[in-house]
Amino acid sequence: MSENSLIDNQFRTAIDMIPTLVWAARPDGSAEFFNRRWLEYTGLTVDEAKNWGWVSALHPDEATNLRETWNTIMASGEPAEAEERLRRWDGEYRWFLFRAVPLRDEAGQVVRWYGTNTDIEHRRQSEQRTEEAEKRLRAAIDTIPAMVWTCLPNGLCDFVNERMLSYTGLSAEEMRGTGWKAMVHPDDMEEHLQAWTSSAETGNSFEFESRLLGADGHCRWFLHRAEPMRDESGNIVKWYGTNLDIDDRRRAEQELRTAHADLAHAMRVASLGEMAASIVHEVNQPLTAIVISGGACLTWLGKDPPDLDKVRTSVEQMVEAGERTGDVVQRLRALAKKGDPQKQLLAINEVIEECLAMVERELDNHGVTVRMELGNCLQPLLGDRVQLQQVIINLILNSVDAMGADANRPRQLLVRSEQTDRDQVIVAVQDSGIGIDPKDLDRLFDAFFTTKPDGLGMGLRICRTIIEDHGGMLWASRNADTGATFQFSLPLQTKV
């Protein structure tokens, strides 16, 4: 055997032993060589497979497609690959990766094609399982009764579920990046964007409520939440978020707030009835002063010559008394008026003094001695003056009732205010009445619970709602000796 023949045999043996299917084809694409593994796999002989016979081993669904692909590859003259199913000798089809590269002569012409078929059945099965799992996951995500979305670490959106697309009428492409901003109500956009940007920059959880524009042109309120997913090093790799429709809840809350406001208004009007004596006294005093000053004014005018200095003094006293009357009427109108809360920066000590002035006659009629211990230099707080007056008056009148039950007990009322080191103001109303039954202590603020024979059981419930809407707390306690103390805390504010 010649040396060349020996090399050819060794080369052929090496090709046959390569753990993949190897083939060669002429420039026109007709096959002229298959290694042993190719023939053993397909069960075809060389004569059956050569030229275009190898096509019979392709899956019928891919035969035409591969033939067209092969023609395209040959026309380009460039290396290429494709994935097709190839029939095994026992009739089973498996997926293979077809790769082909051209061999060129010195003139650059293709003189032969060499190729391999690599079994990728396991990879394809894995990909199929992954694809099916992704489809199931996508179906589950699309079925979740909420809008679901994901964002890249930099906060740019890269996925939204079908429910979100259906609600907005936007396409997935339009929602990518910052395209989602198109669905946010313009009035909510600035705060929404600030909150999301802050979370994306700091990595903190995101939670915000805003209105989203639907495909039908209507807006609904949504609760937006997102949490970051981190790698082992703590770096954010993805944001996962939801938009939950809370429009019905928001409407219900608004209706509840309206109901509370209506009931609170009714309770204020009822309180005015209880304070009728105080109101008459407070209005009568400046009116009496006006009448007296008016009479004096006429007297000084009747002098010859008129005493204009004393006339001026009388008129000034009339004006001052008239202004006091106007202030009283203004406070009464505010208590009786029905409207939305109007929060402003106010001094709580002024509110307390106004309340005591309005119930002064009521306190006198019941023989109640009042002591005030109001803190100095209290910082302002943000609140609705009328609502806070309602709370304080309610607590004072409750204390008056509690002290009126025992004629032999001294009737002493202490109203105090103080600022804590936790940026809060605490207001306390302490009485020397009959106190609170221990079994009632946990139910005092429940709706419709009352210890009064003619009570509605809503006064303290409304007071607690008002204080909680101001960001504070209202609670009660039994005094060590006698009576009870009702206290509420309010957060301090530096600006509206």
Side-chain angles (χ1 to χ4, degrees), residues 412-429:
Q412 299 174 340
L413 183 71
L414 170 63
V415 181
R416 57 185 171 83
S417 64
E418 62 178 324
Q419 183 172 324
T420 71
D421 56 2
R422 293 186 298 175
D423 293 331
Q424 288 183 325
V425 164
I426 292 180
V427 176
V429 177

Side-chain angles (χ1 to χ4, degrees), residues 33-340:
F33 168 78
F34 298 93
N35 71 343
R36 189 175 69 189
R37 288 188 181 274
W38 197 101
L39 298 174
E40 289 177 349
Y41 175 84
T42 62
L44 298 176
T45 64
V46 174
D47 289 339
E48 290 172 332
K50 66 182 180 180
N51 297 322
W52 295 97
W54 57 274
V55 176
S56 64
L58 295 175
H59 191 284
D61 293 346
E62 278 99 38
T64 302
N65 180 59
L66 183 58
R67 188 75 177 263
E68 294 175 353
T69 302
W70 184 218
N71 288 332
T72 301
I73 292 172
M74 288 187 295
S76 70
E78 299 296 329
E81 59 184 40
E83 295 182 7
E84 307 290 344
R85 282 176 286 182
L86 195 61
R87 187 187 64 236
R88 199 167 60 185
W89 60 270
D90 59 359
E92 179 184 345
Y93 286 93
R94 295 177 66 85
W95 281 96
F96 280 79
L97 174 62
F98 286 63
R99 283 197 176 108
V101 296
L103 174 67
R104 301 178 183 275
D105 58 18
E106 294 179 356
Q109 298 296 317
V110 176
V111 296
R112 182 171 288 186
W113 287 92
Y114 290 100
T116 59
N117 298 344
T118 305
D119 191 324
I120 58 170
E121 178 67 21
H122 293 307
R123 193 200 78 187
R124 288 286 296 216
Q125 288 180 358
S126 177
E127 290 175 349
Q128 186 175 1
R129 287 193 296 269
T130 300
E131 183 178 345
E132 291 173 353
E134 289 177 350
K135 288 181 179 178
R136 290 194 298 270
L137 179 60
R138 180 61 184 258
I141 292 176
D142 287 338
T143 306
I144 292 174
M147 300 180 187
V148 180
W149 48 272
T150 64
C151 281
L152 301 173
N154 59 8
L156 297 179
C157 180
D158 65 344
F159 167 80
V160 295
N161 71 340
E162 187 60 35
R163 189 175 292 270
M164 196 164 181
L165 297 178
S166 177
Y167 175 82
T168 62
L170 300 174
S171 67
E173 192 60 35
E174 289 173 322
M175 294 286 286
R176 291 185 184 277
T178 59
W180 55 269
K181 293 193 294 185
M183 66 179 181
V184 181
H185 192 287
D187 293 346
D188 303 333
M189 172 57 69
E190 183 176 355
E191 289 188 34
H192 187 128
L193 191 58
Q194 287 177 352
W196 173 234
T197 301
S198 176
S199 290
E201 291 176 351
T202 62
N204 295 328
S205 299
F206 172 68
E207 183 169 322
F208 191 76
E209 293 183 10
S210 68
R211 289 162 291 179
L212 300 184
L213 180 65
D216 59 359
H218 293 90
C219 283
R220 294 181 66 84
W221 281 97
F222 282 82
L223 171 61
H224 315 284
R225 283 183 174 143
E227 292 289 341
M229 183 177 73
R230 302 177 184 272
D231 59 20
E232 295 178 353
S233 301
N235 299 314
I236 296 176
V237 296
K238 200 82 162 179
W239 283 91
Y240 290 90
T242 59
N243 300 339
L244 184 64
D245 191 324
I246 58 169
D247 197 74
D248 293 337
R249 190 199 79 185
R250 290 275 300 214
R251 293 179 187 275
E253 289 176 348
Q254 181 58 46
E255 291 173 359
L256 183 60
R257 283 194 293 270
T258 301
H260 273 147
D262 291 343
L263 190 54
H265 173 252
M267 298 296 289
R268 289 200 301 273
V269 173
S271 296
L272 290 177
E274 295 181 41
M275 297 187 299
S278 294
I279 294 170
V280 170
H281 173 74
E282 194 170 358
V283 173
N284 190 54
Q285 278 188 327
L287 288 178
T288 300
I290 291 173
V291 171
I292 294 173
S293 297
C297 184
L298 291 174
T299 299
W300 302 124
L301 283 173
K303 295 289 184 178
D304 188 18
D307 192 334
L308 296 182
D309 289 338
K310 292 184 177 180
V311 168
R312 180 179 293 104
T313 299
S314 296
V315 171
E316 289 174 349
Q317 292 172 345
M318 292 170 62
V319 171
E320 182 182 352
E323 289 176 346
R324 289 206 311 273
T325 304
D327 291 340
V328 172
V329 173
Q330 188 67 27
R331 291 201 301 269
L332 295 177
R333 286 184 62 189
L335 281 173
K337 185 180 179 181
K338 180 179 179 182
D340 295 329

